[in-house]
């Protein structure tokens, strides 16, 4: 026998009164589940992301602290002097005066008599397009001396700034033709970022700077790079 | 009407079952509520304990301090860049004096250099002497050095001649550098 079920307001009211506690607790459980899944779980992910970010932030702060401590411990005048010495050794641009001065000093110290010389300058005006790792100016030089004096001259020029290299030498009797390369290199654009861990000059750097200082020929070579 | 039907007893059983299940239901709801509450509180405490805001403030302050040291920063970084390049140049530049020293080190006094040419990879040498023995001594020394493979890679004997008028011997050698 089939019985027709009539759902009217009264029945709903009766059912509501009958199951009210279940509805409340069920509602609480459902709301808790929704909060857990929709709010708390994403918050857990956020927490881990925030933790990573804080870790990076902490590293950056430590790096900044170290950099500040390092820079504060360095004297501005020492830094200036170190930079000037390195700029004398490897000028940021073609330093013809420095080259002539170096040749003059080397010949004076070695007793060599310098004859003719010529420069292979390259492009003078405009921005240099020299993309070589260490661009150089070629100088052809003739010495009117025997091989011993020529050797002394080479010894001297190797220990005078700007840095040079002998690329070829022809000695014949009492004359020598030398091809010297004087190096230069443009200053790069220095870009500092917060994550950069700055380091003080290493022992090797300091030793090299000392060598370069001893190779500096005279006070006339002092020229400020930062001027 | 059947007597086996006992509506009162059934109602009691049903009521106690209902109460029991309601109790469980309530317990589960309370557990859920407490768990969510405790979880949210713990998460909040953990997040606060990270100290992100304080660190950000510290970073801003330090960045400000750092910008006042920008001059020193640039000088230090430029010096290091220059030193790297200088070190490269010094490491790679050919040491002509070393080659000259090697050639002239054990040269007998009677032997004179007529011509010497040093390139990047090759040395050409012409020497002269009245003594063939001394020229031989020089040649032996050069050969020994080429065998040591410290400066020279290969020694090539080019010419040996004598000037009839002066009686001077002349030796030409080529040396391949390492």
């Amino acid at each position: 026998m089939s019985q027709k079920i009539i759902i009217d307001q009264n029945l709903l009211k009766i059912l509501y009164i009958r199951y009210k506690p279940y509805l409340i607790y069920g509602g609480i459980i459902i709301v808790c589940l929704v909060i857990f899944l929709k709010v708390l779980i994403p918050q857990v992910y956020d927490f881990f992301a925030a933790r990573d970010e804080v870790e990076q932030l902490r590293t950056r702060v430590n790096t900044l602290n170290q950099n500040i401590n390092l820079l504060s411990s360095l004297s501005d005048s020492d830094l200036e002097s170190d930079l000037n010495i390195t700029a004398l050794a490897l000028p940021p641009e073609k330093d013809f005066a420095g080259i002539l001065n170096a040749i003059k000093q080397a010949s004076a110290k070695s007793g060599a008599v310098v004859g003719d010389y010529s420069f292979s300058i390259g492009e003078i005006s405009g921005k240099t397009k020299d993309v070589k790792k260490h661009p150089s100016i070629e100088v052809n030089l003739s010495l009117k001396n025997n091989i011993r004096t020529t050797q002394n001259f080479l010894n001297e020029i190797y220990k005078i700034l700007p840095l040079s290299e002998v690329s070829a030498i022809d000695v014949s009797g009492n004359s020598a033709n030398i091809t010297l390369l004087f190096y230069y290199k443009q200053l790069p654009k220095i870009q500092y970022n917060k994550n950069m861990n700055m380091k003080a000059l290493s022992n090797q750097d300091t030793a090299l700077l000392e060598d370069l200082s001893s190779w500096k020929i005279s006070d006339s070579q002092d020229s400020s790079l930062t001027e | 009407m059947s007597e086996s039907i006992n509506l009162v007893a059934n109602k009691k059983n049903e009521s106690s079952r209902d109460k029991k299940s309601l109790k469980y239901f309530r317990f589960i709801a309370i557990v859920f509520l407490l768990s969510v509450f405790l979880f949210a509180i713990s998460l909040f405490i953990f997040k606060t304990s990270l100290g992100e805001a304080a660190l950000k403030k510290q970073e801003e302050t330090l960045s400000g301090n750092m910008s006042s040291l920008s001059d020193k920063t640039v000088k230090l970084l430029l010096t290091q860049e220059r030193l790297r390049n200088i070190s490269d140049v010094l490491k790679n530049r050919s040491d002509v004096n070393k080659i000259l020293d090697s050639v002239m080190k054990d040269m007998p006094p009677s032997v004179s250099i007529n011509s010497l040419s040093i390139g990047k990879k090759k040395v050409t040498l012409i020497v002269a002497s009245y003594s063939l023995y001394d020229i031989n001594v020089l040649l032996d020394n050069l050969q020994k050095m080429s065998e040591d493979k410290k400066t020279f890679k290969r020694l090539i004997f080019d010419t040996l001649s004598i000037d009839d008028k002066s009686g001077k011997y002349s030796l030409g050698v080529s040396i391949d550098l390492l």
Side-chain angles (χ1 to χ4, degrees):
Chain A
M1 199 174 87
S2 67
Q3 202 176 358
K4 203 175 177 185
I5 299 167
I6 301 161
I7 302 172
D8 58 5
Q9 212 172 350
N10 282 335
L11 178 67
L12 285 174
K13 204 172 178 180
I14 290 163
L15 282 173
Y16 172 71
I17 292 164
R18 169 77 176 80
Y19 291 108
K20 188 181 172 186
Y22 288 99
L23 284 173
I24 292 170
Y25 296 137
I28 290 172
I29 291 171
I30 289 167
V31 167
C32 285
L33 277 172
V34 169
I35 290 176
F36 185 77
L37 293 172
K38 292 282 174 187
V39 180
L40 294 180
I41 294 287
Q43 285 295 315
V44 171
Y45 285 117
D46 279 359
F47 169 75
F48 284 117
R51 199 183 62 175
D52 290 346
E53 201 182 315
V54 164
E55 208 50 53
Q56 287 173 8
L57 197 62
R58 198 164 280 140
T59 314
R60 283 206 300 272
V61 165
N62 285 340
T63 309
L64 274 169
N65 260 325
Q66 282 171 10
N67 290 349
I68 288 171
N69 287 340
L70 168 71
L71 290 169
S72 306
S73 70
L74 297 172
S75 136
D76 200 31
S77 58
D78 284 352
L79 279 173
E80 177 100 23
S81 135
D82 289 350
L83 181 58
N84 284 336
I85 288 169
T86 57
L88 285 174
L90 192 65
E93 52 202 19
K94 294 168 181 172
D95 178 18
F96 301 111
I99 293 171
L100 289 175
N101 207 14
I103 293 170
K104 201 174 95 183
Q105 293 285 335
S107 71
K109 280 186 177 179
S110 62
V113 179
V114 179
D116 300 332
Y117 57 83
S118 65
F119 286 88
S120 298
I121 296 168
E123 195 177 329
I124 298 175
S125 60
K127 277 190 175 176
T128 178
K129 287 175 187 163
D130 214 333
V131 288
K132 276 191 273 181
K133 197 178 176 195
H134 300 115
S136 57
I137 300 171
E138 193 178 290
V139 178
N140 293 305
L141 196 72
S142 74
L143 297 181
K144 292 169 181 172
N145 297 100
N146 61 19
I147 194 156
R148 292 281 175 202
T149 316
T150 304
Q151 198 181 6
N152 289 341
F153 176 83
L154 295 179
N155 262 327
E156 292 300 333
I157 200 97
Y158 261 41
K159 289 176 182 173
I160 288 176
L161 307 182
L163 289 178
S164 59
E165 179 180 6
V166 177
S167 77
I169 173 168
D170 279 303
V171 182
S172 178
N174 276 337
S175 73
N177 286 313
I178 303 167
T179 307
L180 286 166
L181 299 175
F182 283 90
Y183 291 101
Y184 67 95
K185 191 166 173 71
Q186 276 190 321
L187 290 174
K189 274 189 182 169
I190 295 293
Q191 282 180 330
Y192 170 77
N193 70 59
K194 287 177 194 172
N195 299 328
M196 189 189 277
N197 197 356
M198 293 178 74
K199 287 187 177 130
L201 295 178
S202 65
N203 290 340
Q204 260 181 325
D205 288 342
T206 316
L208 181 56
L209 269 171
E210 276 170 21
D211 280 347
L212 295 174
S213 299
S214 68
W215 294 351
K216 198 173 82 168
I217 49 176
S218 66
D219 288 340
S220 65
Q221 278 201 331
D222 267 328
S223 63
S224 179
L225 196 73
T226 49
E227 268 169 20
Chain B
M1 209 172 154
S2 171
E3 282 183 4
S4 64
I5 301 168
N6 187 349
L7 289 170
V8 177
N10 266 353
K11 208 171 182 182
K12 256 188 185 172
N13 274 348
E14 205 176 296
S15 170
S16 75
R17 217 177 32 242
D18 270 5
K19 270 185 183 168
K20 218 174 179 181
S21 64
L22 190 64
K23 207 175 154 188
Y24 282 130
F25 218 53
R26 188 172 56 198
F27 177 73
I28 292 168
I30 290 168
V31 166
F32 264 65
L33 198 64
L34 279 175
S35 306
V36 165
F37 179 72
L38 287 175
F39 197 82
I41 292 283
S42 329
L43 210 57
F44 176 75
I45 292 170
F46 281 137
K47 249 187 158 176
T48 321
S49 67
L50 286 175
E52 194 178 0
L55 275 171
K56 273 189 176 160
K57 204 173 173 187
Q58 200 183 350
E59 190 190 21
E60 272 174 34
T61 315
L62 290 172
S63 295
N65 293 347
M66 194 68 198
S67 55
S68 68
L69 294 166
S70 61
D71 197 37
K72 278 186 174 182
T73 309
V74 170
K75 280 178 191 167
L76 179 64
L77 292 177
L78 275 177
T79 306
Q80 284 172 333
E81 185 271 343
R82 291 282 98 175
L83 285 172
R84 264 196 306 278
N85 282 299
I86 289 168
S87 185
D88 260 8
V89 168
L90 290 177
K91 204 158 48 182
N92 294 322
R93 76 174 174 177
S94 60
D95 198 345
V96 174
N97 280 316
K98 194 178 157 195
I99 299 164
L100 271 173
D101 278 340
S102 304
V103 172
M104 294 166 73
K105 191 174 62 180
D106 297 319
M107 191 178 278
S110 73
V111 179
S112 62
I113 294 175
N114 274 3
S115 139
L116 172 72
S117 173
I118 302 175
K120 277 267 176 201
K121 295 274 168 199
K122 199 169 186 169
V123 177
T124 315
L125 176 71
I126 298 171
V127 290
S129 174
Y130 290 106
S131 162
L132 197 56
Y133 175 78
D134 285 347
I135 284 185
N136 190 45
V137 168
L138 174 70
L139 207 54
D140 281 347
N141 291 339
L142 290 175
Q143 195 184 344
K144 210 181 281 174
M145 275 190 275
S146 125
E147 280 164 4
D148 290 346
K149 303 259 180 211
K150 281 181 183 164
T151 315
F152 305 152
K153 193 162 71 181
R154 198 163 59 136
L155 181 73
I156 300 163
F157 182 94
D158 283 337
T159 54
L160 178 66
S161 57
I162 183 166
D163 186 343
D164 283 342
K165 283 180 191 168
S166 60
K168 224 175 181 179
Y169 293 98
S170 179
L171 168 76
V173 286
S174 301
I175 303 162
D176 288 343
L177 297 172
L178 281 176

